[in-house]
Amino acid sequence: MSTAIFSIRSGPGGDSLMLPLVRRTREPFLDRWALPGGWLGAAEGLDSAASRTLEETTALTPSYLEQLYAFGDVDRSPTRVVSVVYWAMLRQDHVEEQRAAAAPAPNVEWFDVDGLPELAFDHNRIVDYAVWRLRNKVGYSRIAAGLLPDRFTLTELREVYELVLGRRLDPSNFRRLIETSEDLIPTEEFRTGKHRPARLYRYDAELSAA
């Protein structure tokens, strides 16, 4: 099993959509970067195995987890291996909290999804598919909630959409579109800063992110 887990993280060039990779410590593909994962236990469900292997390899627990696809090309591994792959999301603030609460995961680094090295097995293809799935789904669901704090401004929400989609969005059009969403709830809280106070919003917790 493998999992592509996405988060918004800050780097030298600003915020970007990133995911953690694990450096392999054995053959095949010794020292090559790969998606976190592991073997399915004999008495273990798929969702449980995805959560367990992700936590064991990266010390991370996702905000959102969904089965992505099964990859089973004959030549994807020196021995015949079929991988059930999951994709997941984790809020930026939760990444730092979880990393601070656990021992540092060995051989783990975060990479920009648009700047990956050559990965082990067919993991570049898997990441490409996961990114395509995320970018498609963000247009018709509230999947971005998995990358946001509990309360956020519309500007912060738009910036998450832009990072996921990889392109700029018109602020006025985005505001008009998003304010018609039935699962986006305005709060009575405001965030103050250099500009005028910005209202904070939240997603309706009773509705599914899918």
Side-chain angles (χ1 to χ4, degrees):
M1 302 194 70
S2 299
T3 300
I5 179 169
F6 300 104
S7 187
I8 304 297
R9 306 209 71 205
S10 298
D15 288 349
S16 60
L17 182 66
M18 305 184 77
L19 81 168
L21 298 174
V22 180
R23 188 187 295 276
R24 287 184 57 80
T25 58
R26 62 181 183 274
E27 296 289 358
F29 301 105
L30 176 67
D31 291 330
R32 191 82 63 84
W33 292 102
L35 290 169
W39 297 104
L40 174 67
E44 193 173 26
L46 294 177
D47 290 2
S48 298
S51 296
R52 174 186 58 79
T53 56
L54 185 61
E55 194 279 331
E56 289 176 349
T57 53
T58 66
L60 298 173
T61 301
S63 314
Y64 178 87
L65 181 71
E66 179 184 342
Q67 190 175 135
L68 176 67
Y69 198 69
F71 292 82
D73 287 355
V74 174
D75 60 351
R76 68 181 304 269
S77 175
T79 58
R80 185 65 193 276
V81 175
V82 176
S83 288
V84 177
V85 178
Y86 278 72
W87 64 298
M89 286 178 292
L90 184 58
R91 290 166 35 174
Q92 183 175 6
D93 55 333
H94 285 179
V95 173
E96 306 310 326
E97 290 173 4
Q98 292 178 19
R99 286 164 60 90
N107 303 313
V108 175
E109 288 189 20
W110 286 79
F111 291 81
D112 190 310
V113 298
D114 293 320
L116 299 181
E118 185 176 353
L119 306 182
F121 305 106
D122 55 353
H123 288 191
N124 287 93
R125 177 191 169 207
I126 292 174
V127 173
D128 287 346
Y129 184 77
V131 171
W132 174 84
R133 178 76 172 272
L134 175 60
R135 286 174 173 166
N136 275 272
K137 194 161 187 174
V138 77
Y140 65 84
S141 74
R142 49 170 286 188
I143 201 71
L147 298 169
L148 286 160
D150 292 331
R151 285 167 170 74
F152 47 85
T153 67
L154 290 184
T155 297
E156 291 168 341
L157 178 61
R158 175 173 52 80
E159 289 172 348
V160 166
Y161 271 75
E162 291 177 339
L163 290 170
V164 170
L165 295 171
R167 58 184 173 85
R168 298 299 300 271
L169 300 174
D170 180 82
S172 298
N173 290 339
F174 180 81
R175 175 179 287 271
R176 283 194 294 269
L177 177 64
I178 209 69
E179 285 185 333
T180 63
S181 172
E182 296 181 355
D183 60 353
L184 194 65
I185 301 173
T187 74
E188 297 305 314
E189 301 175 58
F190 291 83
R191 180 167 296 150
T192 57
K194 295 181 180 179
H195 306 288
R196 66 179 184 179
R199 184 181 295 275
L200 296 179
Y201 290 75
R202 65 178 178 86
Y203 277 110
D204 188 341
E206 296 183 357
L207 298 178
S208 169

